[in-house]
Amino acid sequence: VLYSPQDRTLQTLVGLRDGEITAVLPYTSKVPAELWRGWEVLLRSPKPRPFSLDAEAYLFLPDCLESHRKRNNQGVVCTLLWQDEQPLGFIEFGYRSRETFSENELELVQSLAQQATLAIQLTRLAEEAQQAALL
């Protein structure tokens, strides 16, 4: 999910569910970041943050919570994507089997977030280079 600091919104870049690329509600269109209370929690979390869908349901947007429950997720791990010390967005992993995660699993989430950040940065640089070439 990408964050736009200009209009303070969140929007899904890509979703993956059971191995298939899919839209992830409610983020298919831009959503004001302040509507998702979990965003503020993530901004204060220096590393991946597990969320309990039962105990912390109040942090989720209703559509997002409903989507997780339809998939029988018990827990979610989210971590911010950072670029130049600014939030770029976040990556989220839902789990059906449990709501607690080992340190190794959280480190894997952090590594995946770093790779996603790099991919986004490279894509943006390529788009900028293409625009410059067209000019």
Side-chain angles (χ1 to χ4, degrees), residues 94-114:
Y95 291 88
R96 293 183 183 132
S97 58
R98 58 204 157 92
E99 59 183 54
T100 59
F101 306 93
S102 71
E103 282 302 313
N104 286 341
E105 290 168 322
L106 295 176
E107 286 177 19
L108 176 61
V109 168
Q110 187 65 46
S111 294
L112 293 172
Q114 291 168 346

Side-chain angles (χ1 to χ4, degrees), residues 62-78:
D63 290 345
C64 188
L65 186 61
E66 181 181 334
S67 178
H68 280 295
R69 289 196 169 141
K70 281 182 182 176
R71 293 191 313 268
N72 296 317
N73 288 341
Q74 300 299 308
V76 175
V77 173
C78 298

Side-chain angles (χ1 to χ4, degrees), residues 1-2 13 79-91 109-125:
V1 175
L2 291 183
L13 178 64
T79 193
L80 282 174
L81 307 175
W82 291 95
Q83 181 177 4
D84 301 326
E85 298 185 26
Q86 298 296 317
L88 179 64
F90 69 93
I91 191 168
V109 168
Q110 187 65 46
S111 294
L112 293 172
Q114 291 168 346
Q115 291 176 18
T117 299
L118 181 59
I120 292 166
Q121 290 170 333
L122 291 173
T123 299
R124 288 182 173 175
L125 286 173

